Structures are given as C-alpha cells and as structure tokens.
C-alpha cells in the first residue's frame, strides 16, 4: 500500500529517498548477483572510467499504480534494448534484456509503498544506470562495471502538468554531432546541453530545442525529450535523424496516433516547417507529452498556439498513453509489465 506520510499531490520531478536501489557488478567477464542497497551513496575507485572518460549510460522509465491496485512498468524491454545499444556504443558490457527487466521488477517490488496512489497523477520513476567503475587511466574501456536501478516517486516534470511551455533555439550550442552519440542515452549528451539549458532557463524558456549540428536547418530534439508536430489535418510528424534519441514514448505515441487513424511521418523536418504545425509537443518518459506553444530563434518568434491551450490531438495522445499506463484504457499492444509484490 502507498505510504501515508507523503503528500502525493505535491510531488515534483526530483530525488527522494526510498527503501533501496538494486545493484549488480560485472567483473572477470560476468555479471554478479543482485544486491539491494539502502545507502544512496556509492564507493568507487578514484580512477573509475565513468569519472574520467564518461563511460556511463542511463535510462528513464516509469511504474504506475492502476485503479485495480496492480502495479505495472511501461515497456521495460524497450529501455532494456536501448541501454543494450548504448552500452555497446560505449564499449561497456551490455546488460542482458531479461536481467534488466528483472532488476526493474525487483526494485519496484522492494519499493512498492513509494508507487504513488492511483488518481494522483504520480508514478514511480526508474533510473537504470550503467557505469565503468574499474580504474582506467589510459583511454580504454574499464575492466569493471556497475549496473544499478534507482527509483523515486515523481509528479510532472514541468510545473503544471499538461501546461504548455515556451521553447528557444540557441544557435551557439549543439547537442550532438551527426556521427556522435545523440542516438544513445549517455550522460554526456545532457552535459552538452547544460550550459544552453541554464541560459535558456535564466532568460525565461524552460526548454531549448536543437537543430541538426551540421547545417542548423533541421529540427532535432529538445534537451530533455523528442519533438513532435501535428499538422492541421492531424498528421503526426517527428524528426528522422541519426543524432536524435529513439524515444520509447515517441514510439508509443506514434503507435497510438496510427491506431487512432492518423497519418504518421518520421522524416527530416526543415526549421521553416515548424510554422506549419498547429500543435507541437515535447515527448519523453519524464515529460510525457508537454505542449509547446511558442518557439523563439533570435528575432523569429513562432507562435504555435495560445499560451494555455492544449490542442485536441495532443490532449488525445496524452489521454491515450496515460490511460494505457494507468489501466483505464485497453493495453492492446501488451506494453505494461505487471510487478508482483
Ligand atoms: C526521461 O525522460 O526519462 C529522461 O531520461 C530525460 C531526462 C531529461 C529526465
């Protein structure tokens, strides 16, 4: 049962202490046994490859308490496969998909009372993390790795839930190069965005949108999430680019859109096409579907919708994916994995 000493209505998107995280160590060519660890601090070698050469990657997922009381994790296999690809790209031992999903189930079960009650709009955020913990001073992959999954109850990422936000394009900074690491989930991509992100926030924009690093003429993604645009005829358009992270939420929304009979296009989106969208959103595990009502690039201000208006297509997508996650709509694609507590 959910804890009674937490004000679930006040949840934001931030760290909070729970019962434990789950931890596995890889050495001598194999993954060891699962360990539940209460202490949120980790001790590692000062020469750990994650500290010096950024040998690290992570994932973001959510578990939901449904009306029936069932707890489910949304599409964990998708995140497992993405972390597998990221690990391979970073020359880290990939976590087998079954081990990843099992770790998620176990750590959610061990923290069951932190899964927010049904009806509060909250969820339990899962943050799987794979890091090189073995010392490595010459530039090379480490010989020891640690895989952990931490969890915490969360509410909306941006204040106000489905409230639309303003975005800015800052042409002085790029997120990811065409043959770089933009399509895998490494901390470095977020580090690359922090400076521009802080500047954007300071100047009044909660999120920045990146164009392709080579030509600055195509839309890529937001610092925190993917980009999607809806045309007046209901067509769902999202960028196709080798430097955009393949978002599990975007993939799910594309499926929902196509189930609703909408046209779905995954293709390059020239910057100038933004003004042809009647609705634009940021989408991802943390932000779910966050409408974007205005995009500024220097003196060019593109107003997409009224400041407080949530377009009908975005509302439908949000309601559909949340309905599947909270169990009020049929999970016809079998996306939810039950956690037995
Ligand atoms: C997620 O959506 O889970 C992410 O990992 C993005 C992060 C910026 C919160």
């Amino acid at each position: 049962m959910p804890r009674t000493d937490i004000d679930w209505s006040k949840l934001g998107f931030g760290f909070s202490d729970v019962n434990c995280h789950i931890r596995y160590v890889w050495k001598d060519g194999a993954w060891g046994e699962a360990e539940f660890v209460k202490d949120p601090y980790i001790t590692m070698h000062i020469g750990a490859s994650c500290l010096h050469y950024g040998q690290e990657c992570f994932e973001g997922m959510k578990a939901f308490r449904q009306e029936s009381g069932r707890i489910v994790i949304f599409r964990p296999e998708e995140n497992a496969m993405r972390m597998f690809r990221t690990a391979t790209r970073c020359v880290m031992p990939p976590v087998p998909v079954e081990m990843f999903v099992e770790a998620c189930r176990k750590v959610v079960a061990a923290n069951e009372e932190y899964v927010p009650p049904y009806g509060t709009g909250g969820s339990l955020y899962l943050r799987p993390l794979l890091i090189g913990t073995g010392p490595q001073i010459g530039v090379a992959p480490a010989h020891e790795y640690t895989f952990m999954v931490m969890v915490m109850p969360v509410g909306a990422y941006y204040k106000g839930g489905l409230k639309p936000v303003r975005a800015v394009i800052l042409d002085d900074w790029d997120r990811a190069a065409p043959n770089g690491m933009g399509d895998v989930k490494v901390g470095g991509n977020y580090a690359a965005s922090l400076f521009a992100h802080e500047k954007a926030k300071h100047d009044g924009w909660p999120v920045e949108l990146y164009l392709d690093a080579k030509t600055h003429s195509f839309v890529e993604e937001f610092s925190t999430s993917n980009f999607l645009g809806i045309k007046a005829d209901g067509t769902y358009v999202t960028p196709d680019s080798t430097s955009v992270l393949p978002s599990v939420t975007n993939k799910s929304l594309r499926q929902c859109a196509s189930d609703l009979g909408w046209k779905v296009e995954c293709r390059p989106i020239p910057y100038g096409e933004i003004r042809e969208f009647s609705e634009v959103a940021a989408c991802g595990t943390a932000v779910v579907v966050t409408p974007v009502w205005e995009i500024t690039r220097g003196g060019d201000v593109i107003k997409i919708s009224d400041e407080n208006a949530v377009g009908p297509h975005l509302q439908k997508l949000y309601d559909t994916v949340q309905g599947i996650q909270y169990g009020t709509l049929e999970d016809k694609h079998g996306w939810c994995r039950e956690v037995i507590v």
Side-chain angles (χ1 to χ4, degrees), residues 13 58-61 125 127 157 185 190 224 284-287:
F13 193 91
F58 71 98
E59 277 299 328
M61 300 149 71
Y125 186 67
R127 180 48 75 83
Y157 191 85
K185 202 162 174 71
Y190 298 83
T224 52
T285 299
V287 304

Side-chain angles (χ1 to χ4, degrees), residues 3 40 50 52 71 80 112 146 160 197 242 274 287 296 332 336:
R3 288 180 75 104
C50 67
H52 299 261
I71 295 175
E112 175 275 327
T146 303
H197 194 55
T242 55
I274 295 179
V287 304
T296 299
K332 59 183 173 198
C336 296

Side-chain angles (χ1 to χ4, degrees), residues 39-210:
D39 188 359
Y41 289 88
I42 69 171
T43 301
M44 70 176 92
H45 196 286
I46 191 172
S49 69
C50 67
L51 300 177
H52 299 261
Y53 302 126
Q55 232 195 346
E56 84 77 61
C57 65
F58 71 98
E59 277 299 328
M61 300 149 71
K62 280 178 176 166
F64 302 85
R65 194 182 297 272
Q66 300 188 330
E67 197 168 15
S68 62
R70 230 166 61 108
I71 295 175
V72 301
I73 308 177
F74 189 66
R75 308 194 76 176
E77 296 84 1
E78 289 290 329
N79 296 82
M81 290 189 284
R82 190 169 68 184
M83 182 176 259
F84 196 106
R85 286 195 302 274
T86 308
T88 306
R89 176 71 172 83
C90 299
V91 199
M92 300 200 271
V95 175
V97 170
E98 311 70 49
M99 174 179 145
F100 180 104
V101 175
E102 197 48 29
C104 293
R105 284 191 204 261
K106 282 183 169 155
V107 74
V108 171
N111 290 284
E112 175 275 327
E113 64 264 44
Y114 289 96
V115 184
Y118 173 78
T120 57
S123 55
L124 189 75
Y125 186 67
L126 285 81
R127 180 48 75 83
L129 184 66
L130 172 61
I131 57 177
T133 35
Q136 195 59 55
I137 298 305
V139 178
H143 296 287
E144 187 193 295
Y145 294 84
T146 303
F147 170 60
M148 289 163 282
V149 186
M150 65 192 277
V151 296
M152 68 217 75
V154 296
Y157 191 85
Y158 297 113
K159 283 194 195 80
L162 198 55
K163 194 175 170 329
V165 296
R166 306 164 72 210
V168 64
I169 295 171
L170 298 170
D171 278 291
D172 287 346
W173 297 279
D174 294 318
R175 175 185 168 274
N179 295 315
M181 309 272 270
D183 62 339
V184 290
K185 202 162 174 71
V186 294
N189 290 340
Y190 298 83
S193 74
L194 278 180
F195 190 88
H197 194 55
E198 287 305 291
K199 178 164 171 46
K201 265 202 303 199
H202 176 265
D203 296 344
W205 288 279
V207 65
E208 75 278 15
L209 175 64
Y210 289 90

Side-chain angles (χ1 to χ4, degrees), residues 5-22:
D5 57 350
I6 295 177
D7 185 350
W8 300 105
S9 65
K10 295 234 160 59
L11 283 181
F13 193 91
F15 178 82
S16 58
D17 246 326
V18 293
N19 294 337
C20 60
H21 65 270
I22 192 165

Side-chain angles (χ1 to χ4, degrees), residues 304-327:
I304 292 150
S305 62
D306 285 337
E307 185 170 346
N308 291 310
V310 178
H313 294 87
L314 296 180
Q315 185 72 55
K316 184 75 186 165
L317 287 172
Y318 180 86
D319 292 344
T320 306
V321 75
Q322 292 270 96
I324 295 169
Q325 292 169 332
Y326 285 111

